[in-house]
Amino acid sequence: MKNKISLLLCLLIGLSGYSQKFEGLADTPPMGWNTWNTFACDINEDLIKETADAIVSSGMKEAGYEYVIIDDCWHGERDEKGFIQVDPERFPSGMKALADYVHSKGLKIGIYSDAGTQTCAGEPGSRGYEYQDAIRYAEWGIDYLKYDWCNTENINPIGAYSTMRDALYSAGRPVLFAMCEWGDNQPWEWAKDVAHMWRTTGDIYNCWNCEEDHGSWSSWGVLRILDMQDGLREYAGPGHWNDPDMMEVGNGMSQSEDRAHFTMWSMLAAPLIAGNDVRNMTPETVEILTNEKMIAINQDSLGVQAFKYNSEDGLETWFKPLSNGEWAVTFLNRSDEPGKVNFDWESKKIEDPHFDYAVDFSEVTYSIEDIWNEKELKNTKKTLKATVAPHDVLTLRLKKS
Ligand code: GLA
């Protein structure tokens, strides 16, 4: 009898739609653009419209970028019934009209809120208003929610994020749910069924290897964030991704640093969320952000993050298993000196430390495609000799030949 009652309860909970996230929204890492890294609170509807236009005209949409995400500071006050409204000065036409515009370009729209009483910039948070906010977002036509963790006092993270997941699900409009609690509560251990992606670290900063001290918190350069991903790859996969934060490509690092940053985020199967002003990009930035071959590595259907195979004198070798028995390999030169690659494939057996992927180059020969330089590199029978410039990468795609 007891068993029957529990079964019935489970069935009812299942049918009522609670305790679920929307499936099928992030089978490969999400791609898009977000306001925060470049514009912070200096945002308005014209910026969003111009950005949507530029995502189309620059070729970014064609390359796979889909979500136009408005981060903090779009909020107005709650109305007398408690429903959230947009800032009437920044978004005079309203969020529904803006969503319609973004949708008319064949793109999707994202928005930002916070599990606490206020967002990080002091706007109204969703705490206690989760279901009302989710209903409003659905009415507006929102497709993506980034959900932050400021001003949460001592609330329980699993409870807080599950509540918003359930609210979104019951509002009925599929919304990609992106958690942002900076890895403070080890979301990789519990958020697989809560969200489609979760931030693993504090905020990124626009530098190669620095820590930017803000007093009570720090933001981090590309290499610092990369190093913080250590130990997390086994938790990510199709539908649930580790998020090492939005990209800084095009925001002032050198071209090779931008290329290395984009490459490592692709190798990590990270969400590719651009954070630059896409209305004014150099051709070099466009070339990096829209590199089809690199994006194919990021978007590979296996959804397995790269692992670090070796590290010597600042030169790291990373392997990423791909579908169809293919592999992506990156030599990352972290140092300020040119890095010499001397890689004798045939003496190497590569084994994924967490998943069941392995390759023995003495038994199978692979052809080599050079992703960034398009140089002819023959195959894995011949030792690879190359020089990688400081703060740069050499990335290869290996196919069985
Ligand atoms: C936090 C997040 C950032 C950004 C800001 C907005 O710092 O980590 O990505 O959303 O809040 O205030």
Side-chain angles (χ1 to χ4, degrees):
M1 187 60 185
K2 248 190 173 172
N3 273 351
K4 277 196 185 145
I5 292 174
S6 344
L7 199 74
L8 196 70
L9 271 177
C10 288
L11 200 73
L12 281 176
I13 290 171
L15 288 178
S16 62
Y18 289 105
S19 297
Q20 284 189 47
K21 68 178 193 186
F22 289 100
E23 294 298 337
L25 296 183
D27 291 342
T28 61
M31 293 176 68
W33 173 87
N34 177 303
T35 47
W36 187 255
N37 284 357
T38 295
F39 299 98
C41 283
D42 190 13
I43 56 174
N44 58 49
E45 63 185 35
D46 291 336
L47 168 70
I48 303 303
K49 286 182 172 175
E50 288 163 20
T51 297
D53 293 348
I55 288 176
V56 175
S57 62
S58 64
M60 284 178 71
K61 174 174 181 250
E62 178 88 33
Y65 295 85
E66 192 179 13
Y67 293 96
V68 180
I69 304 156
I70 308 168
D71 207 286
D72 212 343
C73 303
W74 58 265
H75 315 67
E77 290 171 0
R78 292 191 179 277
D79 68 14
E80 67 283 0
K81 289 194 178 123
F83 284 102
I84 191 71
Q85 309 177 93
V86 285
D87 180 327
E89 275 168 25
R90 289 174 174 148
F91 297 89
S93 315
M95 198 56 90
K96 172 85 175 72
L98 190 55
D100 288 347
Y101 185 86
V102 171
H103 290 148
S104 77
K105 299 280 154 182
L107 298 166
K108 293 183 173 166
I109 187 161
I111 214 172
Y112 161 101
S113 188
D114 187 289
T117 48
Q118 290 190 331
T119 70
C120 298
E123 305 283 353
S126 289
R127 184 172 178 189
Y129 294 93
E130 294 88 351
Y131 280 79
Q132 270 183 294
D133 284 356
I135 289 169
R136 204 23 49 102
Y137 302 158
E139 286 167 2
W140 286 339
I142 298 299
D143 307 295
Y144 180 117
L145 176 65
K146 171 174 172 181
Y147 204 48
D148 215 337
W149 193 240
C150 279
N151 305 302
T152 46
E153 288 133 28
N154 288 321
I155 62 173
N156 176 287
I158 306 182
Y161 280 100
S162 303
T163 301
M164 191 40 124
R165 168 203 60 190
D166 295 347
L168 293 170
Y169 199 80
S170 67
R173 183 181 171 87
V175 172
L176 193 156
F177 191 31
M179 284 175 41
C180 175
E181 55 70 82
W182 321 299
D184 283 4
N185 304 280
Q186 297 74 47
W188 44 86
E189 287 176 1
W190 51 265
K192 181 171 184 255
D193 298 321
V194 176
H196 301 93
M197 53 196 260
W198 48 79
R199 280 273 298 278
T200 52
T201 69
D203 289 4
I204 196 167
Y205 196 73
N206 185 26
C207 63
W208 180 241
N209 193 15
C210 71
E211 172 179 354
E212 178 74 8
D213 187 353
H214 303 274
S216 59
W217 60 287
S218 288
S219 48
W220 308 94
V222 167
L223 290 186
R224 299 296 190 96
I225 295 224
L226 175 66
D227 292 343
M228 292 177 204
Q229 308 311 307
D230 195 26
L232 303 186
R233 69 185 288 273
E234 65 196 278
Y235 299 101
H240 52 280
W241 307 101
N242 286 319
D243 174 12
D245 205 3
M246 306 167 293
M247 296 186 289
E248 293 283 10
V249 174
N251 283 343
M253 280 185 286
S254 74
Q255 201 185 329
S256 67
E257 289 168 342
D258 273 357
R259 179 166 47 239
H261 170 26
F262 189 71
T263 298
M264 293 319 296
W265 263 230
S266 297
M267 293 291 286
L268 290 174
L272 295 180
I273 310 293
N276 57 319
D277 184 352
V278 298
R279 302 168 307 172
N280 300 299
M281 291 189 276
T282 63
E284 291 76 19
T285 297
V286 178
E287 206 182 303
I288 291 171
L289 286 175
T290 62
N291 184 299
E292 252 178 74
K293 292 176 183 172
M294 202 66 241
I295 291 173
I297 289 171
N298 171 265
Q299 293 288 303
D300 185 82
S301 60
L302 217 53
V304 176
Q305 289 188 207
F307 56 91
K308 200 193 292 176
Y309 169 75
N310 185 38
S311 175
E312 221 178 306
D313 300 332
L315 189 69
E316 294 180 353
T317 310
W318 291 74
F319 276 79
K320 181 182 196 289
L322 303 175
S323 47
N324 301 321
E326 297 182 16
W327 291 83
V329 187
T330 291
F331 298 93
L332 165 69
N333 186 1
R334 303 169 65 110
S335 78
D336 301 337
E337 305 297 325
K340 291 266 178 241
V341 176
N342 192 345
F343 202 78
D344 175 24
W345 303 97
E346 294 213 312
S347 65
K348 306 276 192 295
K349 271 192 193 156
I350 312 296
E351 279 175 15
D352 187 312
H354 299 108
F355 303 106
D356 197 14
Y357 302 104
V359 51
D360 179 346
F361 290 109
S362 68
E363 285 177 3
V364 195
T365 303
Y366 284 75
S367 67
I368 302 178
E369 182 180 26
D370 182 346
I371 300 300
W372 290 111
N373 309 300
E374 300 186 356
K375 268 193 212 139
E376 181 56 62
L377 288 170
K378 300 228 169 60
N379 60 35
T380 53
K381 278 192 174 314
K382 197 168 160 250
T383 297
L384 174 72
K385 292 196 175 173
T387 303
V388 186
H391 303 194
D392 206 344
V393 285
L394 170 64
T395 299
L396 314 172
R397 186 175 181 123
L398 309 182
K399 294 185 194 179
K400 277 184 200 156
S401 50

